Amino acid sequence: MTPRWQRAALTPSWIRWLPCAFAHLTVVPARPRFRRSAWTTMVPWEGSAWCDPGSVDEWVERARRRRAGRDAEDVELHAREHYAWMVRVRATRIELFAEMCRRRGIPVPHTVGELLLCLAEFGLFDIAADTGDGDPWITPRLDRDPLEVLPLSAQERELETRAQRDDQAVLVAIAIRRLAQRTRRRWRRRLVSTSLTRLAGAAGVTEEQARRSLTDLGQIAELGVDTGRGDERLRLSVPWPDFRLRFPFTELPAPEHAI
């Protein structure tokens, strides 16, 4: 019987920490636990744990196609700078994850298969003892908080707490952008009517986190928030198209993909 698939319960902040290929492991059968073999046709076990950004020449060529008619030298310079920045961010993230592995005494993963074993050591998957058939039971635990799992220093914990607040603001911004896209297009500031409960549910955060994120977005993205009628009647004034351009994502992106 072919299993039904769903996205595993996931703390979004893991996107900042884990190798890109962990996305393969977030799509799971719709049951609490399952055999590893259920992933056989879905997961490229020998594939690289980290995605390949390609060559800088490929980036330049794509930029030229997208910006045909603009100054070719300027387009190439911008593409090369963008690529170099992305590669630096990616390298930093790889090294940081490798350091977390070293602190725990866990081998640094290079393939998707190794990544699953690595994440099990961190406690993000439970893998039942192999009964000899090479097909153990798997239970995802990706909803755990990085603050509870990673071997962070006091300073790193403080940075992670701040980063998670930023993550929540981005998730709320994505939910607001989707609502704003449905409103009348002729306004430079689009007006969105919603409630804190609905907004939090759409963003996948708590109501307290959503309330705090609205304050943050007011400061960093000029979001207007009218709460005069209480949490059940929020009126948001969204600067457009600036807000759409600033938060174009469908979900929280990995840092190098947000550049």
Side-chain angles (χ1 to χ4, degrees), residues 33-44:
R33 67 174 189 154
F34 53 91
R35 293 283 193 175
R36 185 182 185 276
S37 57
W39 269 329
T40 298
T41 61
M42 301 285 290
V43 175

Side-chain angles (χ1 to χ4, degrees), residues 12 31 39 50 68 98 106 114 158 173 180 184 196 199 203 224 229 249:
R31 48 182 182 265
W39 269 329
W50 295 92
I106 300 171
E114 292 172 357
E158 182 178 348
R184 302 176 71 173
L196 190 67
L199 182 60
R229 299 182 182 181
F249 322 110

Side-chain angles (χ1 to χ4, degrees), residues 97-136:
F97 183 70
E99 174 62 19
M100 294 297 107
C101 293
R102 286 192 285 267
R103 291 183 191 179
R104 276 289 184 84
I106 300 171
V108 177
H110 299 288
T111 67
V112 182
E114 292 172 357
L115 178 61
L116 174 61
L117 298 178
C118 171
L119 299 187
E121 291 290 338
F122 275 114
L124 296 178
F125 287 93
D126 286 338
I127 301 180
D130 193 339
T131 57
D133 59 3
D135 192 19

Side-chain angles (χ1 to χ4, degrees), residues 60-250:
V60 170
E61 182 59 30
R62 284 197 299 268
R64 285 173 174 167
R65 289 198 301 268
R66 288 196 302 265
R67 302 182 181 185
R70 298 190 183 183
D71 182 85
E73 290 185 2
D74 184 65
V75 169
E76 179 174 349
L77 177 62
H78 179 79
R80 289 184 180 278
E81 291 176 343
H82 189 182
Y83 181 86
W85 185 13
M86 184 278 300
V87 168
R88 286 196 299 272
V89 172
R90 178 178 181 272
T92 298
R93 206 157 72 86
I94 291 172
E95 176 55 32
L96 185 57
F97 183 70
E99 174 62 19
M100 294 297 107
C101 293
R102 286 192 285 267
R103 291 183 191 179
R104 276 289 184 84
I106 300 171
V108 177
H110 299 288
T111 67
V112 182
E114 292 172 357
L115 178 61
L116 174 61
L117 298 178
C118 171
L119 299 187
E121 291 290 338
F122 275 114
L124 296 178
F125 287 93
D126 286 338
I127 301 180
D130 193 339
T131 57
D133 59 3
D135 192 19
W137 289 96
I138 306 287
T139 304
R141 301 184 64 196
L142 291 165
D143 56 343
R144 299 186 68 189
D145 190 326
L147 288 167
E148 298 175 355
V149 173
L150 297 174
L152 302 173
S153 68
Q155 182 180 15
E156 289 166 342
R157 290 182 64 83
E158 182 178 348
L159 292 173
E160 174 62 16
T161 299
R162 294 177 186 174
Q164 288 193 18
R165 177 167 176 162
D166 291 341
D167 294 342
Q168 292 152 14
V170 172
L171 292 170
V172 170
I174 291 170
I176 292 172
R177 189 210 70 229
R178 286 171 171 162
L179 291 172
Q181 286 176 321
R182 304 172 191 165
T183 64
R184 302 176 71 173
R185 295 187 177 185
R186 67 172 180 265
W187 303 108
R188 291 291 293 178
R189 294 188 71 90
R190 298 194 176 188
L191 301 179
V192 172
S193 295
T194 186
S195 71
L196 190 67
T197 300
R198 288 197 295 273
L199 182 60
V205 300
T206 68
E207 291 188 19
E208 181 56 35
Q209 289 167 347
R211 183 182 293 107
R212 187 175 60 199
S213 293
L214 289 175
T215 299
D216 292 344
L217 291 170
Q219 296 172 352
I220 66 176
E222 298 183 0
L223 178 72
V225 183
D226 180 2
T227 58
R229 299 182 182 181
D231 290 347
E232 291 308 309
R233 294 288 299 277
L234 293 180
R235 190 171 176 83
L236 309 177
S237 174
V238 186
W240 206 262
D242 294 350
F243 200 88
R244 173 179 60 82
L245 296 173
R246 186 166 188 163
F247 303 104
F249 322 110
T250 56

